[in-house]
Amino acid sequence: MRKIEHLGVAVKDLEAAMKTYVALFGQAAYKVESVESEGVKTAFFAAGPNKIELLEGTREDSPIAKYVSKRGEGLHHVAFDVEDIEAEMSRLEKAGFRLLNDKPKDGADNKLVVFLHPKDSHGVLIELCQEKP
Ligand code: ZN
């Protein structure tokens, strides 16, 4: 793990949340992207080297929509940048972490991603992400 890549914030209404974060950062999102397979629309903001990902569920059965209806809006996950996602997956699996997907999948912002079960990390949903070549 090299660094925190971004923090993910689950929101109810991406348009409304983007207005708030434009005001907060004083600049527009640098990327707005839908990931159809995950049922999410995302927007990325940057402050120096730090990034915030806003996520809105696009279907009722998407993980983000379920999260928001159960727990409300808020901090959803912490994403770590990794050099070799497969190597990290096998290292963490051996260390007892459960992976929520057994293969890396396409995430937003040109990344391969995998999530770890939040119960194994004291309630924090962790995303590993590797920049796609
Ligand atoms: Zn993320």
Side-chain angles (χ1 to χ4, degrees), residues 107-129:
D109 206 23
N110 195 43
K111 300 284 195 293
L112 288 171
V113 305
V114 67
F115 286 91
L116 308 183
H117 200 296
K119 287 219 166 93
D120 298 335
S121 39
H122 303 265
V124 179
L125 177 61
I126 291 177
E127 174 186 359
L128 306 179
C129 55

Side-chain angles (χ1 to χ4, degrees), residues 13-72:
D13 176 346
L14 189 64
E15 289 299 316
M18 282 175 71
K19 282 192 189 130
T20 307
Y21 279 76
V22 165
L24 179 68
F25 284 100
Q27 57 187 332
Y30 69 87
K31 186 181 272 191
V32 179
E33 188 183 351
S34 290
V35 183
E36 231 8 89
S37 57
E38 294 299 301
V40 288
K41 278 193 297 193
T42 66
F44 285 87
F45 289 85
N50 302 306
K51 299 182 199 167
I52 298 283
E53 173 186 31
L54 304 180
L55 307 109
E56 177 197 337
T58 55
R59 300 189 300 260
E60 255 174 52
D61 65 339
S62 78
I64 291 294
K66 282 192 210 156
Y67 180 92
V68 168
S69 76
K70 219 158 102 186
R71 304 175 65 170

